[in-house]
Amino acid sequence: SLHDALPISADWLQGPYVYALYSAYGFSSLEIAQLFVAGFGSSLVFGCFAGSIADQFGRKRCCIAYCALYILSCMTKHFQDYWILMLGRVLGGVATSLIFSCFECWMVSEHLQRHKFSSGLLSYMFGLMFTFMYFVAIASGLAAQFAADYIPFEPISKGSIIYSGGYCAPFDLAIVCLVVGAILIMALWEENYGSSDGQEDSRTVYSNITECLRMLAADPGALRLCLVVATFEGCMYAFVFNWTPALASKEMPPPHGVIFALFMMACMMGASTSTMLNKYARPSVRLMTVSFLGVVLFAVAACTAGGSSPIPCFVAFMLFEFCVGVYFPSIGVVKSEVVPEHVRGTMYNVYRVPLNAVVVCLLLTDISMIVCFQLCAGLLSISFVANYFIAYSPKTLGGDIDRSEERRVGKECRSRW
């Protein structure tokens, strides 16, 4: 978990400050939206084949490539230049295509293929992994707030486009996490591939993508899962773009790092709750529940954003982050069961293609924040319906473990811990 948490925390460190940094550089909301679109657009394009590259050439190598690309992306944040920042967003988008497939694929393959642990134990592993990651994210947010508050934000010399301190400091902390994480990965990880024997895959990128598309066309469950990922995570990224202006105040600038740490605390509570609910609710049922709650919470945010008090909107955001905390361990288990090992990385990135398309459409249309929240409520309604059919289809997905298996998994958990 530490190997995953450090590189991924680099992405979390940036979250609260990307919009604030661009705004501090003097860019308009439209220009900021264009920069965000560049990141999601590059993730959309590269995501079509990033997973297949990981399946074919190795998940460990791609995780190291993520660290290198994100280091370069963080370095561009020091420049008050639109096109340098645009390059950084493109590099960050490519890195994002890797982070949300390669790390998870590596862990699932090690768990199921190399070590032959049970699939039931995987649900506990996801819960523990995300709980620990969110704990690291809380510390990251507080560290970022401290760095942003106590290091002056200014150019390195008069008239220079290169800035340091302030909103740049969290990106420097992210670089440290990435460097340490890359060293740990190189030293401690073994390589795995998309083949069942863990050896280098001989299939081509094209054949992997073609097989995934055939699977989506033939398997309604896989297609519904794709719809869930696109709608729920698309709303999550739209939320990432909009929470900073939604909580903005002229009287007192919001402490972005502290707010981010509170969001991550809510996510950690959600991940812990997801683990505790393993015995009582299948992952697909948990996904259906958080999708319904998301509809309600975005409706509340649409009604309260920009009002006289940011508190109701902030509470809605906190509860949505709790839902996000439940979502990721649950969707991880469902995907691990639905997607075959030999195309796991490819399929995980294929799932992200419509996700990025949703986010790009939400940002390119330059709609208002309130309309964006209303659309998010609508998208989560679609996620709820898709999850309903997943949870209650004749071929139920989502890790339905019988009682004897449940007891065996619990004993295995206790013995290994």
Side-chain angles (χ1 to χ4, degrees), residues 111 118-131 270-287 325-334 337 398-403 405-407 409-410 413 417:
H111 185 97
S118 69
S119 58
L121 186 60
L122 187 62
S123 180
Y124 291 89
M125 180 60 71
F126 270 116
L128 290 169
M129 181 184 73
F130 279 102
T131 299
S272 299
T273 301
S274 180
T275 303
M276 290 187 290
L277 290 176
N278 278 331
K279 290 185 178 181
Y280 309 105
R282 300 191 309 273
S284 51
V285 175
R286 300 199 296 266
L287 291 171
V326 175
Y327 168 84
F328 275 110
S330 304
I331 199 71
V333 174
V334 177
E337 295 178 349
D400 204 0
I401 308 171
D402 62 28
R403 294 290 181 181
E405 173 69 2
E406 200 172 86
R407 288 192 293 270
V409 167
C413 285
W417 282 100

Side-chain angles (χ1 to χ4, degrees), residues 135-148:
F135 177 79
V136 173
I138 293 170
S140 299
L142 295 174
Q145 182 70 63
F146 178 84

Side-chain angles (χ1 to χ4, degrees), residues 257-277:
V258 173
I259 292 173
F260 174 75
L262 291 172
F263 285 165
M264 291 301 100
M265 182 185 70
C267 286
M268 185 173 71
M269 293 173 64
S272 299
T273 301
S274 180
T275 303
M276 290 187 290
L277 290 176

Side-chain angles (χ1 to χ4, degrees), residues 18-342:
V18 176
Y19 192 105
L21 177 66
Y22 294 158
S23 181
Y25 279 147
F27 296 112
S28 67
S29 59
L30 179 59
E31 289 173 319
I32 295 173
Q34 291 168 349
L35 289 167
F36 270 80
V37 166
F40 289 112
S42 64
S43 184
L44 169 64
V45 173
F46 186 75
C48 295
F49 50 88
S52 187
I53 291 173
D55 287 335
Q56 186 174 2
F57 297 106
R59 281 79 179 261
K60 173 182 174 179
R61 291 184 184 131
C62 286
C63 290
I64 295 171
Y66 153 78
C67 293
L69 289 169
Y70 234 150
I71 287 171
L72 294 174
S73 176
C74 290
M75 291 172 66
T76 65
K77 298 299 190 292
H78 286 274
F79 293 83
Q80 189 189 20
D81 183 273
Y82 180 83
W83 293 109
I84 294 178
L85 293 172
M86 180 68 75
L87 173 63
R89 289 299 301 175
V90 171
L91 292 173
V94 174
T96 301
S97 297
L98 298 172
I99 190 176
F100 287 105
S101 58
C102 299
F103 285 89
E104 186 174 328
C105 289
W106 182 88
M107 193 271 282
V108 171
S109 179
E110 291 294 301
H111 185 97
L112 297 177
Q113 301 296 320
R114 192 187 304 277
H115 297 288
K116 307 297 183 184
F117 295 156
S118 69
S119 58
L121 186 60
L122 187 62
S123 180
Y124 291 89
M125 180 60 71
F126 270 116
L128 290 169
M129 181 184 73
F130 279 102
T131 299
F132 181 72
M133 285 183 177
Y134 290 131
F135 177 79
V136 173
I138 293 170
S140 299
L142 295 174
Q145 182 70 63
F146 178 84
D149 286 345
Y150 290 96
I151 304 175
F153 179 65
E154 58 189 8
I156 60 173
S157 62
K158 188 175 181 180
S160 175
I161 65 168
I162 304 175
Y163 279 68
S164 65
Y167 292 145
C168 291
F171 298 94
D172 295 331
L173 289 175
I175 291 175
V176 174
C177 292
L178 290 163
V179 170
V180 175
I183 292 172
L184 289 173
I185 290 170
M186 288 187 286
L188 301 176
W189 283 23
E190 296 183 67
E191 186 61 275
N192 64 51
Y193 302 87
S195 57
S196 58
D197 58 2
Q199 300 301 311
E200 191 161 355
D201 198 348
S202 60
R203 289 185 301 273
T204 64
V205 172
Y206 175 79
S207 64
N208 279 347
I209 294 174
T210 303
E211 183 171 350
C212 285
L213 294 177
R214 281 200 297 264
M215 180 181 171
L216 284 174
D219 186 353
L223 188 59
R224 290 167 188 156
L225 188 56
C226 181
L227 193 61
V228 171
V229 172
T231 52
F232 193 99
E233 295 186 30
C235 293
M236 184 186 72
Y237 282 114
F239 162 78
V240 169
F241 176 78
N242 281 291
W243 76 259
T244 302
L247 299 179
S249 172
K250 293 182 179 179
E251 291 78 18
M252 180 181 295
H256 298 98
V258 173
I259 292 173
F260 174 75
L262 291 172
F263 285 165
M264 291 301 100
M265 182 185 70
C267 286
M268 185 173 71
M269 293 173 64
S272 299
T273 301
S274 180
T275 303
M276 290 187 290
L277 290 176
N278 278 331
K279 290 185 178 181
Y280 309 105
R282 300 191 309 273
S284 51
V285 175
R286 300 199 296 266
L287 291 171
M288 183 176 65
T289 304
V290 296
S291 295
F292 176 78
L293 289 174
V295 174
V296 176
L297 294 171
F298 271 110
V300 171
C303 295
T304 58
S308 57
S309 172
I311 293 178
C313 192
F314 173 71
V315 171
F317 289 167
M318 285 285 289
L319 292 174
F320 176 69
E321 289 286 8
F322 175 87
C323 294
V324 171
V326 175
Y327 168 84
F328 275 110
S330 304
I331 199 71
V333 174
V334 177
K335 287 192 295 185
S336 71
E337 295 178 349
V338 174
V339 181
E341 177 62 31
H342 66 283

